[in-house]
Amino acid sequence: MKLQRKNRLRATALGALAVSGALVLTACGSDNNSDGSTGGNGGKTSAASNIKCDDAKGQLLASGSSAQKNAMDLWVKNYMAGCSGVEVNYKSSSSGEGIVAFNQGTVGFAGSDSALKPEEVAESKKICKGGQGINLPMVGGPIAIGYHLEGVDSLTLDAPTLAKIFDGKIKKWNDPAIAKLNSGAKLPDKAIQPFHRSEDSGTTQNLGKYLGAAAPSDWKYEAEKKWPAPGGQAASGSSGVAAQVKQVDGSIGYFELSYATSQSISTVDINTGGATPVKATPENASKAIAAAKIKGTGKDLALDLDYTTKAEGAYPIVLVTYEVVCDKGNKAETLPTVKSFLNYTAGDEGQKLLTDAGYAPIPTEINAKVRETIASLS
């Protein structure tokens, strides 16, 4: 099903981050410069948006994570409007499919909600001549636990309860474990219908990392991209899971926050053991992501996230979407466009467009390293 999109402007707690919401991907760019300057090739800068187009030209194909789709749609639209003669085509599929396409050499970069595995890095060396695939953190944000339960406008859950719900151990909405966390709520005697991703997904893997770290006694599965637990119902992509939760009373699912905000889907507050339950917001996700450490080596900037944080206001179920590129051995015909486009997405302008769509900008210190690495790609 197609995701319903809204365009909104609002001020956020992150300061002057007035941004527009998710927009539909356009097929080609246009030159909006009013002074006659162009943003195509030859190192020129778009006067309309200060995008450095450099020598970008032709078509750039990319694919992967559906969690970053709403951010990517907006980035692509703005970039192509600023850089005439350039077409960026990002196929929103899944992190797993994006990595496969990257290691087959069919895309200039891939989007993934989890860092490359060692075997995927080894495979990338066949494509990245003289180099290898690396992870560039570009989009942060909360994984929202969306639910649809008529008559219940506010819901709090903790990691053990979530684990039991997604593992099929808690089957009714009025279960004592849920009631204990929601004193005074009128919980119906209704079956819980959990939805999960049908395809390999970095969002699934990040949820698994959270459940495994925060509820190890109740979630015994390895954190993999393929959904591990029995039961439940599957849907394709974050958009598919969100669409099912939107429609089905009694349902619960997981997806990146912009899918909840764009469709007005209620989200669960998470009891982390701190003073108060934490809402899924970009600001609260930023508090968790800011504590991340770089675990990658060399030019690889994979992050180590703390899923067990109890810091006040830190939302623990977070993901960071990486753009996967070759550090060396990128295709000569697309390298200028890859560098120009990623320079824009990692730049101040690109990062400031994230918050209203439900994302969180990458922390400044980490983002500075991302920009340095993009400049060094060859």
Side-chain angles (χ1 to χ4, degrees):
M1 296 183 181
K2 293 186 177 179
L3 177 64
Q4 297 176 354
R5 301 177 175 87
K6 296 180 181 179
N7 294 328
R8 301 181 299 172
L9 284 177
R10 60 179 173 88
T12 75
L14 293 180
L17 296 181
V19 296
S20 57
L23 298 176
V24 178
L25 176 63
T26 56
C28 58
S30 62
D31 188 357
N32 290 345
N33 301 332
S34 59
D35 63 355
S37 63
T38 62
N41 49 28
K44 295 184 179 180
T45 300
S46 163
S49 59
N50 296 318
I51 296 173
K52 291 188 66 176
C53 305
D54 295 322
D55 295 317
K57 60 183 179 180
Q59 184 183 61
L60 172 63
L61 300 179
S63 69
S65 165
S66 65
Q68 70 171 5
K69 171 180 164 49
N70 293 337
M72 192 60 70
D73 283 355
L74 183 55
W75 281 336
V76 166
K77 178 180 176 65
N78 289 356
Y79 180 80
M80 292 197 306
C83 296
S84 61
V86 183
E87 181 181 348
V88 180
N89 188 335
Y90 181 82
K91 178 185 177 183
S92 172
S93 51
S94 69
S95 297
E97 292 176 63
I99 297 303
V100 169
F102 178 76
N103 280 338
Q104 290 176 341
T106 60
V107 294
F109 70 89
S112 178
D113 305 338
S114 56
L116 292 167
K117 295 179 179 180
E119 59 268 27
E120 292 170 336
V121 173
E123 186 72 15
S124 73
K125 293 179 180 180
K126 299 176 183 178
I127 298 299
C128 305
K129 302 301 182 183
Q132 65 180 47
I134 58 172
N135 305 281
L136 301 179
M138 197 67 67
V139 180
I143 300 174
I145 307 299
Y147 73 97
H148 180 172
L149 191 58
E150 296 295 338
V152 179
D153 298 324
S154 178
L155 185 69
T156 295
L157 297 173
D158 59 12
T161 307
L162 270 175
K164 291 172 186 174
I165 288 173
F166 281 117
D167 199 22
K169 300 295 194 300
I170 292 179
K171 301 179 182 296
K172 290 291 188 71
W173 279 110
N174 62 348
D175 187 276
I178 300 177
K180 184 177 180 181
L181 292 165
N182 296 273
S183 178
K186 295 182 179 180
L187 299 169
D189 182 16
K190 183 183 291 290
I192 298 174
Q193 299 193 53
F195 284 89
H196 59 263
R197 293 281 289 274
S198 60
E199 76 285 8
D200 286 2
S201 161
T203 310
T204 294
Q205 188 172 39
N206 278 277
L207 176 64
K209 288 178 180 178
Y210 163 73
L211 294 174
S217 298
D218 299 294
W219 191 259
K220 301 293 188 179
Y221 306 102
E222 292 294 324
E224 299 290 348
K225 292 178 181 177
K226 183 176 180 63
W227 180 255
Q233 301 177 64
S236 178
S238 292
S239 59
V241 175
Q244 291 299 316
V245 172
K246 175 74 172 179
Q247 292 181 357
V248 179
D249 186 22
S251 62
I252 189 169
Y254 59 94
F255 30 81
E256 162 278 325
L257 182 61
S258 70
Y259 291 92
T261 55
S262 65
Q263 297 193 57
S264 300
I265 297 172
S266 298
T267 59
V268 171
D269 297 343
I270 301 299
N271 183 334
T272 64
T276 56
V278 185
K279 294 185 178 299
T281 69
E283 296 84 1
N284 292 343
S286 289
K287 294 176 184 177
I289 295 171
K293 306 297 183 184
I294 295 175
K295 65 179 180 180
T297 58
K299 294 183 179 180
D300 184 78
L301 299 177
L303 300 179
D304 187 13
L305 299 168
D306 181 8
Y307 296 98
T308 62
T309 180
K310 292 180 174 59
E312 198 63 29
Y315 184 81
I317 319 177
V318 294
L319 61 78
V320 169
T321 292
Y322 301 95
E323 310 311 339
V324 176
V325 296
C326 296
D327 57 355
K328 298 178 182 178
N330 289 278
K331 293 180 181 179
E333 61 270 25
T334 56
L335 177 60
T337 309
V338 169
K339 294 177 71 171
S340 172
F341 180 69
L342 295 184
N343 269 324
Y344 164 63
T345 64
D348 291 339
E349 184 177 342
Q351 288 290 299
K352 284 180 179 179
L353 294 175
L354 293 176
T355 305
D356 193 61
Y359 298 99
I362 298 300
T364 302
E365 184 176 333
I366 297 171
N367 186 252
K369 298 181 183 297
V370 173
R371 297 189 205 188
E372 290 175 8
T373 303
I374 293 170
S376 72
L377 298 179
S378 62

